[in-house]
Amino acid sequence: MDLQSLFYPKTIAIIGASSREKTVGNDVVKNLVNQGYEGKIIPINPKIEELYGLRVTADIKEVEEEIDLVVVAIPAKFVAENLREAAKKGTKAAVVISAGFKETGNTDLEDELRQVCQENGMALVGPNCLGAINPEIKMNASFGQLMPKLGHVAFISQSGALCTAVLDYAQELGVGFSKFISIGNKADVDEIKLIKYLAEDDQTKVILIYAEELANAREFIDTLCEINRGDNPKPVVILKSGRTEAGAGAIASHTGSLAGGDAAYNALFKQAGMIRASSIKELFDLAQVFARNPLEKATNLAIITNAGGPGVLTTDEATGNGLKMAKLSDNTKVKLDEFLPAAASSHNPVDVLGDAQADRYKYALEVIAQDENVDSIQLIMTPQSMTEVEETAKAAIETKQKTNKPVVVSMMGAATVKPGVDLLNKEGVATTSFPEPGAKSLAQLDKFVAWHKQANQPSLSFNDVDKQKVSDIFAKAEAKG
Amino acid sequence: MDLQSLFYPKTIAIIGASSREKTVGNDVVKNLVNQGYEGKIIPINPKIEELYGLRVTADIKEVEEEIDLVVVAIPAKFVAENLREAAKKGTKAAVVISAGFKETGNTDLEDELRQVCQENGMALVGPNCLGAINPEIKMNASFGQLMPKLGHVAFISQSGALCTAVLDYAQELGVGFSKFISIGNKADVDEIKLIKYLAEDDQTKVILIYAEELANAREFIDTLCEINRGDNPKPVVILKSGRTEAGAGAIASHTGSLAGGDAAYNALFKQAGMIRASSIKELFDLAQVFARNPLEKATNLAIITNAGGPGVLTTDEATGNGLKMAKLSDNTKVKLDEFLPAAASSHNPVDVLGDAQADRYKYALEVIAQDENVDSIQLIMTPQSMTEVEETAKAAIETKQKTNKPVVVSMMGAATVKPGVDLLNKEGVATTSFPEPGAKSLAQLDKFVAWHKQANQPSLSFNDVDKQKVSDIFAKAEAKG
């Protein structure tokens, strides 16, 4: 499936453009016009003539040029007919925001949509979704209000409403996106099709998915193994809801999907080398650490901190999740002892003390980054009155630019440390405000790298027996509901 | 021990006041002078005459009036002698910020301090600590830069540097404090003594502790059981580091304390009805939910949401942590169906749909708060273009004022929802930005209430056999290191 027309359209038609504010048909046009999209925008509505400075076309039949993408926000029963007309204009992708399909019992209508699109080679996103955003070309073909910053994280969500919150959090947390898409009922374009596309997308370094149910266990495993066994692996982080019986029940009531047994999903994720997030917040932490670090092992972690307590808490989190505390080489210890005050600790976690200014951090970072016993580095900083927030951030940025080792910086606090965090975000250094999630995410990175290495050993490749086993568990879980 | 002089002093002397900026002796005076403390401030230093508009006294011997509290920031070897002089001025509390005692091997010096204070009936905080803050009288007797908002959370930390970060986070997260204290080496005033004092403090509703090690298991259990078996229980939330072997090793290197076996701590916490937080962030979430709700059972949770996905994730978290999804009464369902649109769900989680304005939330909240099957309520809101952030917050505030049921509001996102979150914080409604921690904290509240109820049944009271068991585990763990 070619999703170029979805993410890089030169012409977009909005079927159901509206002049009434705070409606979907109005929001989509407003977002396209106001947020910097430079392609052609064609609003379609028989009742109005002008919208946000654009001429409105009465009917899609009357559009004279080719259309790459249509965004649809009209009542469910009129959608199929309009997509047929869109196909005649060469349209290769449709985002159907309209609801009223499978989720309300109208499976026939949804089947019809799928059929129209398949017959015409048109990629169908939705129905019942928020839309799609490509920050690279400032295209916000959704009714979410915010244009995210450009970055390396692709986000795919089965929940539209979650998207609006994620966009808002992302601005605060400094996370940038490569592609952002709400897939709703997944009548056609689903996670697997998007993963295949995003695997080839240079802008994307990590793919995040929020899913309530997944189909095609075997295809999922095949797709992921193919991508991640190659030289250009792309980590996929999934937040899968419905892990409890009550949660699965809530999904049934929400989307009408069968959620499947959670054990089966865990087996699938393990087989496919997928990373499972346990909460919305963890999605962001993982996004930061995966998008901004090379896929290199992080096993032996060195922590540099100006605060003993947070150093201990982070040690707990790191080792509790499978990392080891790096044994610093004698040479490193000697060098640290030479420069740091007597009360500092050259034992890992390296405590540069509460009165550390940037020079101590800079020195410790340089020495530790060169230690062969160290695979990854976490810098922790609490704001004391002598702390140099921005200079310390710059020291971390310099280290990050020189080393191939994964690095996370946790500047603890909020307003006081913001200038440093902003700098780190600008220069693409992974940050987590609280330190424990930084260590946990590094542990996940390490697990992914180990999985990738193992998957690349031909003798240990995943065989059909394994896949069959997961498929069986899946089938059983779905039969049970 | 009378800690009134520590938290409500009329006169404070700072031994080691300094005119050099970004030093402890300067920060403490600056904080006391600039942040609103209305008592008398007496800086002491033989080398300067004036500091921040105050006359500086050369030596504590020369002070003419009574002193309630001394804050000490001079080299370790001079501290004991100065405390002896302070005692002569009637001083009943000392905060020794100076380091260089047990943590650097100088146990004799620390023993001397303890002895001086005990002989003179003086409460000793520290040494090697950040200081103490009482927002109620705007007293910042610490070198932390921020005066926290007044609230109902008491915070006790064994790590000084963690305190500065916590103050910074708290401003961002809208958490207010009743008392805020760094206890450092705990030569005298420790968690138990503070808990006993705070149990009687009307301003404090929940006590948070960061600890690397705890002594006196038996006294801990006795103290907690006594407080929490009574009519006026006070929940204690503890973040205990050193739960892994590497973490315990890091503590040994950081404070020289023995961390003890984690299993022994868990047994202690369970016996004593203490709530264990698993991360710094969780401390804040628990603080919000405990400080702003009555200690009432939360077992059967009702969720009201405008977003299906977050509703499912929160259901997972709630039931995964021991809550149940409330079975709404038929009457409630009928009433909800009467008012909500057809596509909404009157099944719990109640989905008021993405286009819900405040009226739908208000109606659902009112109906659900009256349902006898519902013990607690979580409101989830994602920002859509039609969402009424402030009006929805007001609806939650009204409900909270009318009901005795625990309530948490999760307005998802950042800048877009801030006006609502600010309102909720102002009116004392518990908020968590991400919804899962809200549900998890309600589950902890529910567990505490159940513990309290059980502890109040005389036939099930904790007997000496249990306490002995925990003490034994403790002793073994400490012997092992």
Side-chain angles (χ1 to χ4, degrees), chain A residues 334 422 425 473:
Chain A
V334 169
D422 287 347
N425 281 333
I473 301 177

Side-chain angles (χ1 to χ4, degrees), chain B residues 230-281:
Chain B
D231 292 336
N232 189 21
K234 201 155 288 190
V236 176
V237 181
I238 189 157
L239 178 62
K240 165 70 184 68
S241 62
R243 60 186 156 85
T244 63
E245 207 179 314
I251 287 175
S253 143
H254 170 221
T255 59
S257 310
L258 289 178
D262 204 56
Y265 279 111
N266 276 334
L268 167 65
F269 300 152
K270 201 176 166 191
Q271 282 283 314
M274 286 171 87
I275 300 119
R276 187 168 191 171
S278 61
S279 69
I280 303 167
K281 179 59 169 57

Side-chain angles (χ1 to χ4, degrees), chain B residues 229-230 451-464 466:
Chain B
R229 228 188 329 238
W451 184 94
H452 171 65
K453 198 176 160 189
Q454 199 191 27
N456 270 325
Q457 289 173 347
S459 62
L460 288 170
S461 73
F462 297 92
N463 54 45
D464 286 337
D466 289 326

Side-chain angles (χ1 to χ4, degrees), chain B residues 15 122 159 171 188 274 279 313 359 381 410 420 450 470 480:
Chain B
I15 304 175
M122 196 189 292
S159 164
Q171 278 207 336
D188 172 30
M274 286 171 87
S279 69
L313 289 164
D359 60 335
M381 194 200 79
S410 302
V470 173
K480 275 168 74 181

Side-chain angles (χ1 to χ4, degrees), chain B residues 169-408:
Chain B
Y169 287 128
Q171 278 207 336
E172 179 90 357
L173 298 170
V175 173
F177 293 95
S178 57
K179 308 285 181 290
F180 192 100
I181 185 160
S182 155
I183 52 178
N185 293 3
K186 308 193 273 190
D188 172 30
V189 171
D190 60 3
E191 299 89 354
I192 296 177
K193 285 174 182 162
L194 284 164
I195 288 170
K196 284 180 180 168
Y197 175 83
L198 294 166
E200 305 293 322
D201 179 34
D202 287 341
Q203 184 66 34
T204 299
K205 287 193 182 168
V206 56
I207 301 167
L208 307 190
I209 301 176
Y210 168 73
E212 304 193 338
E213 42 78 37
L214 296 169
N216 303 327
R218 180 180 285 243
E219 197 187 345
F220 229 108
I221 295 178
D222 284 343
T223 305
L224 268 288
C225 286
E226 195 179 325
I227 293 169
N228 288 333
R229 228 188 329 238
D231 292 336
N232 189 21
K234 201 155 288 190
V236 176
V237 181
I238 189 157
L239 178 62
K240 165 70 184 68
S241 62
R243 60 186 156 85
T244 63
E245 207 179 314
I251 287 175
S253 143
H254 170 221
T255 59
S257 310
L258 289 178
D262 204 56
Y265 279 111
N266 276 334
L268 167 65
F269 300 152
K270 201 176 166 191
Q271 282 283 314
M274 286 171 87
I275 300 119
R276 187 168 191 171
S278 61
S279 69
I280 303 167
K281 179 59 169 57
E282 199 172 310
L283 268 188
F284 286 99
D285 298 323
L286 289 165
Q288 281 266 13
V289 171
F290 272 90
R292 296 183 175 180
N293 280 300
L295 293 173
E296 298 286 343
K297 76 167 185 165
T299 318
N300 294 291
L301 172 69
I303 295 173
I304 304 171
T305 179
N306 69 346
V312 178
L313 289 164
T314 308
T315 300
D316 275 340
E317 193 71 11
T319 60
N321 282 285
L323 295 182
K324 293 173 188 156
M325 293 304 287
K327 284 188 184 166
L328 302 182
S329 73
D330 290 344
N331 183 33
T332 299
K333 283 188 186 170
V334 168
K335 281 189 184 165
L336 289 174
D337 286 338
E338 273 172 18
F339 189 81
L340 299 180
S345 170
S346 59
H347 185 269
N348 183 15
V350 174
D351 190 341
V352 294
L353 300 182
D355 63 347
Q357 295 183 319
D359 60 335
R360 271 189 224 160
Y361 273 106
K362 190 177 162 71
Y363 184 87
L365 278 163
E366 275 175 13
V367 170
I368 284 167
Q370 283 165 24
D371 189 327
E372 286 184 2
N373 296 348
V374 173
D375 298 321
S376 59
I377 301 171
Q378 182 162 4
L379 185 155
I380 298 171
M381 194 200 79
T382 58
Q384 314 297 329
S385 65
M386 55 290 285
T387 305
E388 296 172 334
V389 174
E390 285 172 275
E391 289 305 311
T392 304
K394 282 180 195 161
I397 291 163
E398 269 178 47
T399 301
K400 175 67 169 35
Q401 285 162 348
K402 282 186 215 161
T403 183
N404 209 33
K405 298 176 181 180
V407 173
V408 177

